[in-house]
Amino acid sequence: ITASGASFVGPEVAPGAILSGFGHDLALSAEAASGMPLPTSLSGTSVSVADSAGAERAAELLYISPQQINFLLPPDTAPGPATVDVTAGGQLVGKSSVEVQPTAPALFAANENGLGPAAALAVLQKTDGTQSVQLLFDPAVPPGQRAGVPIDFGEPEDELFLVLFGTGIRGETNLANFHAFLRCGFPPPVTYAGAQGEFAGLDQ
């Protein structure tokens, strides 16, 4: 099974997004990429993607283990159905199908399982230009048990920016197509949606 690496929901995925593949005996051991550029092979395990236009590309790998592989869907992957092949030690050990779309937004969760509070932070900007950053979950609580924490909104004249992290978002560049909703009523404006800029495949 291959799905979004943020929500673990599929099969809709987007070019350049972080994906997770699940199975058995996908690799001989667990290993993470050590830096940039990302490798296309780790300990003999590799992933290739064949798209609807007939092109086959090697995927860049973030992490491998016998049960899970995290990788980037190649950014030039054509829209439509695509096939993901996992090879380990020269043998095909996994095959799955995905549906490639221009965007497939998904948000990372603090519990690292696609559920619960978002892996997010709030930036409080004071009128004097100073900023403070608040995590919206307690990192001391183990993943799987995390809940949201209260947000300090500051003074009425301060500005508060909510920063959400996800993947599959950068394919849409028109901010007018992004909408945020709060249970307390008014819809806050979306001021940015695109690549996070530091980590491969990560959007904010």
Side-chain angles (χ1 to χ4, degrees), residues 71-147:
F71 63 96
L72 299 184
L73 185 66
D76 295 331
T77 305
T83 301
V84 178
D85 287 345
V86 179
T87 303
Q91 301 294 320
L92 181 66
V93 294
K95 179 184 286 287
S96 60
S97 299
V98 293
E99 183 68 27
V100 181
Q101 301 180 354
T103 61
L107 296 178
F108 284 97
N111 283 315
E112 302 175 9
N113 60 4
L115 303 173
L121 52 86
V123 179
L124 181 64
Q125 180 160 315
K126 310 290 287 186
T127 55
D128 63 2
T130 59
Q131 292 183 340
S132 61
V133 178
Q134 311 167 54
L135 274 179
L136 300 192
F137 61 93
D138 184 353
V141 177
Q145 303 175 32
R146 291 171 175 167

Side-chain angles (χ1 to χ4, degrees), residues 20-88:
S20 291
F22 300 94
H24 299 282
D25 301 320
L26 299 177
L28 295 178
S29 61
E31 184 178 355
S34 58
M36 301 292 290
L38 292 173
T40 56
S41 178
L42 283 172
S43 298
T45 291
S46 60
V47 175
S48 64
V49 180
D51 67 18
S52 62
E56 185 170 343
R57 299 176 178 88
E60 294 179 311
L61 303 179
L62 295 160
Y63 171 80
I64 65 167
S65 74
Q67 291 80 35
Q68 180 176 343
I69 295 178
N70 296 341
F71 63 96
L72 299 184
L73 185 66
D76 295 331
T77 305
T83 301
V84 178
D85 287 345
V86 179
T87 303

